[in-house]
Amino acid sequence: MGRENIRDILRTLGVSRSNAGVSTGTRWLRSQGPTLTSVSPVDGKVAGTVKSADASSVDRVLSVTTEAFLQWRMWPAPRRGEVVRQIGEALRRSKKALGMLVSYEMGKSLQEGLGEVQEMIDICDFAIGLSRQLYGLTMHSERPHHRMYEQWHPLGPVGIITAFNFPVAVWSWNAMIAWVCGDTCVWKPSEKTPLCSVACQQIISEVFRKNNVPEGVSCLVNGDYRVGELLAKDARIALVSATGSTRMGKAVATAVASRLGKVLLELGGNNAIIITENANLDLSIRAALFGAIGTAGQRCTTTRRLIIHESVYDEVRDRLKSAYQKLQIGNPLDPECHMGPLIDEQAVRAYLRALKEIRAAGGTFVVKGSVLKGKGYESGCYVRPAIAEVENSYPIVQEETFAPILYLIRYKTLDEAIALQNGVRQGLSSAIMTTDMRQMERFLSVAGSDCGIANVNIGTSGAEIGGAFGGEKETGGGRESGSDAWKAYMRRQTSTINYGDTLPLAQGIKFQI
């Protein structure tokens, strides 16, 4: 992408070279925080700057969003859903420009950038229907002339902390659902992709103005981890939904727990595909390829481990090696390229450190990794994806490295494979490739995968918005997006109505005066 192109895209989205980074939804606030510089990993050039929030502006935002909640919660849920419907339409109109900005600022392929915006549109559609389906339950009372039921009420202001790898979609998973539930939102995006957040705020602010949505329903506070700490510690935030590393999640959980607030955590993954002796190997190779190199290995659902039956191990290894030699690595906006850059030089250092630790542990490289240099790679963030034969017990294999490094592990029995799959601290996504129904059912049973996501004959990466997204163990246990994940954004209330003339007590207790 040329410099003229990115300027045109920013202009189309209402983003300038220098931007305020704090908003209450309908207006931008002044802040004394430091300036964030967005450097594209595509070409190493400055895309723009954004002013960070400071303690004073965060306090102002939290005051405004708390007041807005008192009004927003009184809007009928279908009316809130209509606002979200219009946001979806606005995103449809901006899909190409926003997708290109995601690709340029973050470094994922244009197809993935467009797909991320489509995911935002899809969650809007899901939330519209949900706005008429916030169902409770009715229950039979043990007492005569009594009726029991439960209902769901808006929870309050929700803090949303998102990571760089999905700079817009994960925010929308939370915000669209929270809005139809009657909550207000304060978004703290990654400091590595601030322009995407400004663009989203510009898109929705026009919709909010047209619908007279109260100021403060959608707030934005750009900044580094210190801004996230302010949200986590403030009792005005009823729920903190945080996506990122396990280390970050533990810090957020500790801060929120100290004030007995609520958290929704989507943290690290160390995902594996089991390739059985009964697998369709054509499907298996394709699933492993996209899972391992999609978003340059920077997805929480990236395939990091291939657990391969010994009878097909050599064939899978050799076919992967051949496929890796055909990969095109370069500008992610070039449709011929399969993989773009890592997000920044810090990520490159983590990649190189992992390669060194693999060698030190005794791993053998099938495809050696390296930093790419020369024309088109001037940003220093392009790397060659690596494949290594390892043992699951290696310390580096037990970690989540946000880079395109794929580990190959050999197994003999399915029980052994499942134990290897489960033998890490993370529990996000998992998959098995097999044509044997007994193997797939074993994998999906209570004694099978311990992950929040368990797939059969597809990879670990890529999730539809209709299902609840999240994982177990050090992945945090949270659920976002579809199914009944909306319940995290609401509070449950159990009510009992006595329509009789007496006052019987539960459990048959007698109380007379």
Side-chain angles (χ1 to χ4, degrees), residues 71-338:
Q71 302 176 57
W72 183 241
R73 66 180 180 176
M74 300 305 295
W75 284 40
R79 186 182 174 195
R80 298 191 296 255
E82 167 58 18
V83 174
V84 171
R85 184 194 68 78
Q86 293 178 39
I87 293 173
E89 291 302 311
L91 288 169
R92 284 179 171 89
R93 293 190 294 271
S94 300
K95 179 178 176 178
K96 182 178 179 181
L98 184 56
M100 293 182 76
L101 177 59
V102 168
S103 181
Y104 183 71
E105 187 174 32
M106 185 267 149
K108 63 175 59 177
S109 73
L110 179 57
Q111 281 298 308
E112 292 182 77
L114 295 171
E116 185 168 346
V117 182
Q118 185 60 48
E119 200 164 1
M120 301 174 76
I121 295 166
D122 292 344
I123 200 66
C124 287
D125 290 348
F126 181 88
I128 295 163
L130 181 63
S131 68
R132 295 180 183 270
Q133 299 179 72
L134 301 174
Y135 299 139
L137 297 172
T138 59
M139 293 151 282
H140 290 281
S141 174
E142 67 183 63
R143 289 168 284 184
H145 304 125
H146 281 59
R147 179 168 67 86
M148 296 177 64
Y149 74 101
E150 68 177 28
Q151 58 184 342
W152 295 84
H153 291 306
L155 185 62
V158 173
I160 305 170
I161 300 173
T162 60
F164 73 87
N165 58 337
F166 281 85
V168 295
V170 174
W171 162 73
S172 72
W173 289 1
N174 286 272
M176 305 307 161
I177 303 298
W179 285 334
V180 298
C181 288
D183 302 324
T184 57
C185 296
V186 181
W187 181 18
K188 205 299 281 185
S190 169
E191 63 271 27
K192 298 180 181 182
T193 51
L195 296 181
C196 286
S197 70
V198 174
C200 288
Q201 193 75 349
Q202 293 283 37
I203 290 168
I204 62 175
S205 64
E206 184 61 29
V207 175
F208 278 22
R209 288 191 188 96
K210 289 179 179 178
N211 288 273
N212 295 314
V213 172
E215 180 185 7
V217 170
S218 174
C219 298
L220 177 65
V221 285
N222 268 286
D224 61 16
Y225 72 93
R226 289 168 290 191
V227 175
E229 287 179 345
L230 292 173
L231 298 184
K233 293 177 180 179
D234 200 298
R236 287 172 289 186
I237 295 292
L239 168 72
V240 176
S241 177
T243 302
S245 68
T246 297
R247 178 184 57 79
M248 179 277 291
K250 289 179 178 179
V252 169
T254 300
V256 177
S258 69
R259 58 178 177 83
L260 296 181
K262 298 179 183 294
V263 293
L264 194 166
L265 300 175
E266 297 291 353
L267 310 176
N270 194 347
N271 316 293
I273 298 176
I274 296 173
I275 301 179
T276 72
E277 70 275 25
N278 300 302
N280 178 323
L281 294 189
D282 291 336
L283 284 182
S284 301
I285 297 300
R286 291 185 63 188
L289 278 172
F290 179 73
I293 69 163
T295 323
Q298 298 172 113
R299 290 186 177 212
C300 53
T301 55
T302 289
T303 303
R304 309 208 178 277
R305 297 175 294 143
L306 283 188
I307 302 170
I308 311 165
H309 191 268
E310 60 182 4
S311 66
V312 295
Y313 183 92
D314 290 347
E315 182 178 355
V316 171
R317 178 196 59 202
D318 293 346
R319 289 181 64 173
L320 280 171
K321 181 177 180 179
S322 176
Y324 267 51
Q325 292 171 350
K326 300 173 184 176
L327 293 175
Q328 299 295 316
I329 305 166
N331 189 324
L333 290 129
D334 180 349
E336 298 299 318
C337 288
H338 300 103

